[in-house]
Amino acid sequence: MRPSSLLYLAAAFAPLSLAVAQNIRNTGKINEFYAQNCANCHGPKLEGGVTPGNQKVPSLVDDEWLHGGDDDSIAKSIKNGYPEKEMPPWSATLTDKDIRSMVIYLREQQFLFKQGKLKSEKLPDSFAGKTQLHNFQLNTWVGDLIEPWSLAFLGPDKALVTEKLGYAYLIDKGKRAPRPLLGLPTVDTGGQAGLFDVVPHPDYAKNGWLYFAFSDPQTRDGQPVSLTRIVRGKIKGNAFVEQQTIFQAPVDMYPKAGGPHFGGRIAFDGKGHLFLTIGDRGTGPNAQNLGVVMGKVHRIKDDGQIPADNPFAKDAKAFPTIWSYGHRNPQGLALNPATGELYDVEHGPRGGDEVNLVLPGRNYGWPVITWGMDYPGTPMPGSEGTAKEGMEQPVTYWLPSIAPCGANFYAGDLFPKWKGHLFVAALAAKELRRLEIKGDKLVNQEVIIKGETDANRIRDVIGGPDGALYVLFRERIARLTPAE
Ligand code: HEC
């Protein structure tokens, strides 16, 4: 069982008085409660989707039921949930009467669905978009992908894409190689584990080093465990060769409890260092424990050595690669090329997704402080509030959650007014966002693309050497160019 499901269980026993704050009786509207509490998994139009932990979520309108389709069975599903499958129990948030209203709402929506009046629209393969500063044309650049995670440009016409399930493909002039790259390390791909970031060294043209982050399967006391590891190597033909491990925690630190939140992003500072993220692995207190690698942003040299001026390098009890701590699941990490400032984008709990200006030695607070709450709408177990002395505040947080993932600053010339803006990909919200940030302040924010179906979940976004913006949807990479 995943620790995240333990959180759901804990929430089920939370005292009712604490839960009332987010109760439907405050909004009075069951459709709003659905939109705020259920839509991120079951979809805005109730057609199903995937959970944050990558579990399949059933449609609530197709009249096919895993657990019985009579009113009582549906009410029971909502009340008790299926925590082992990430469906939270709602008994701490909803009364029996509220649940009855929800069943009625589901019936009404089923009726609309049968009449064809409730259908999520997949974004077209090509379309034009209007935004505050630029209009764009979106076209598919590379199709036929399965959960692409990261895209690296290796030259003007050459790129490489990773897929979560452990494959990477070379791309030449917008054409994907027929076969995956050979010789990649073995990757754990269960739940949120997988092959994550791929980033070329800033001097790639000279040295050919390419860096991969992935969940590394190991055995600890006879039990399978995995944790984020970084290797670098070079491309020869269709193979990944000359591999070296750049970052790996001792195997006795790999969590036996399993769990989600691997992090898995890499960013170079252009001064011989690279930053990497590791999530808390579903155990919040990891993020406050300087003795473990989980829940941290780390800094190492590009060959894996530990910089002597790291903030905790001289603290015998701390892991010497730690740069900052108190992070939950940073799946975005981006250096502003103009200022050298480092930002992380974190999957928070519900309502607590964050952008942080990452500074050395600072504590970003998770799980002690958070702007979010637990999935069933109950307070985050163990959290003390939204602020505390000695803990950093985010640049911004998203309420409701958008499930942000990859982020990059735009530095190209095709969209001159977007220069220096942070683009953020979002999974659950199926959005591409543009953020204008000055230091630790958010100046402006805009949704550039908004999808509805799972095919439009966005995992990453990056500017290409041609100045176009490349967006990684669930099944394809799209390319944005300026339009009239
Ligand atoms: C974090 C993700 C998540 C959220 C939030 C969530 N669900 Fe679910 N739900 C699931 C998953 C996953 C299943 C399927 C469980 C299984 O496979 O047994 C499910 C199953 C169900 C079922 C049973 C469906 C069947 O086919 O029998 C109902 C009814 C349901 N959810 C209603 C709701 C309602 C109402 C809400 C909001 C109050 C909600 N869910 C919120 C993930 C979620």
Side-chain angles (χ1 to χ4, degrees), residues 201-218:
H201 190 282
D203 289 327
Y204 178 81
K206 274 190 222 132
N207 63 27
W209 286 121
L210 198 58
Y211 294 69
F212 285 92
F214 62 102
S215 25
D216 168 44
Q218 296 285 343

Side-chain angles (χ1 to χ4, degrees), residues 8 30 33-42 46 49-53 55-60 62-69 73-79 81-90 93-94 99 102-103 105-106 350 375-376:
Y8 299 144
I30 199 72
F33 189 86
Y34 178 88
Q36 285 166 14
N37 295 272
C38 320
N40 67 324
C41 285
H42 288 280
L46 298 87
V50 288
T51 65
Q55 296 271 354
K56 198 171 158 37
V57 184
S59 164
L60 297 175
D62 62 359
D63 217 11
E64 283 176 31
W65 299 93
L66 297 169
H67 303 282
S73 303
I74 296 173
K76 209 170 129 212
S77 289
I78 298 170
K79 190 171 181 168
Y82 302 97
E84 69 290 350
K85 295 271 178 67
E86 290 185 54
M87 161 70 183
W90 296 93
T93 327
L94 298 175
I99 290 176
M102 182 63 82
V103 172
Y105 173 69
L106 298 185
R350 242 184 90 185
Y375 278 105

